[in-house]
Amino acid sequence: ELWVSLEEHQDALELIMSRYRKQMLQLLQGRKGEDAEPVLKVHQANSLETESQIDRICEMGEVMRKAIQVDDDQFFKVQEKLAQLELENKELRELLSISKESFEVGREDLPD
């Protein structure tokens, strides 16, 4: 009788433990969903912030590209103007030297 009573007691404990494990599993699964929700919200907020920062960085990159293009254009204009002025200076020096030569030749031809 004791043996049969012990087996019945063990079966009852097994049944209670299986129900306990089932309820704990359900509770943990339900909690995981609840625990994950705040983390998910924080993750989404961080993702939005990161996305906004990436957009700002892209905008700044575009502004920098435009500034570089403007600087390059300005540099090429200055280079072109410098080349024109150097050419003009060279031509004026040639004219001046021709003028000096003709003046000296004209002075030599004049009687003293």
Side-chain angles (χ1 to χ4, degrees):
E1 289 178 26
L2 285 173
W3 190 260
V4 172
S5 175
L6 180 63
E7 286 181 357
E8 288 175 0
H9 183 65
Q10 285 179 341
D11 289 341
L13 279 176
E14 257 185 59
L15 179 63
I16 291 169
M17 288 305 294
S18 69
R19 286 186 180 171
Y20 171 76
R21 288 186 195 109
K22 183 178 178 182
Q23 286 179 351
M24 287 303 293
L25 183 62
Q26 289 173 350
L27 180 64
L28 288 175
Q29 286 177 344
R31 248 195 183 173
K32 283 183 183 177
E34 291 172 5
D35 290 343
E37 192 172 321
V39 172
L40 184 60
K41 286 181 182 178
V42 169
H43 179 68
Q44 287 173 341
N46 287 342
S47 294
L48 291 174
E49 184 179 337
T50 303
E51 187 176 323
S52 122
Q53 288 176 349
I54 289 171
D55 289 342
R56 287 181 58 212
I57 289 170
C58 289
E59 288 173 8
M60 289 189 312
E62 189 61 34
V63 167
M64 291 166 92
R65 249 185 249 108
K66 287 179 182 178
I68 290 170
Q69 184 64 38
V70 167
D71 284 349
D72 286 347
D73 291 346
Q74 186 67 24
F75 175 76
F76 291 132
K77 286 179 184 178
V78 168
Q79 288 292 97
E80 184 179 350
K81 185 68 173 176
L82 183 62
Q84 288 175 348
L85 290 173
E86 286 176 348
L87 180 61
E88 184 180 338
N89 187 20
K90 181 181 175 186
E91 290 174 356
L92 288 173
R93 286 184 185 270
E94 287 177 8
L95 287 174
L96 181 64
S97 73
I98 291 171
S99 159
K100 280 184 181 179
E101 288 174 7
S102 67
F103 180 72
E104 288 176 3
V105 169
R107 266 181 58 193
E108 289 175 3
D109 290 343
L110 287 176
D112 285 332

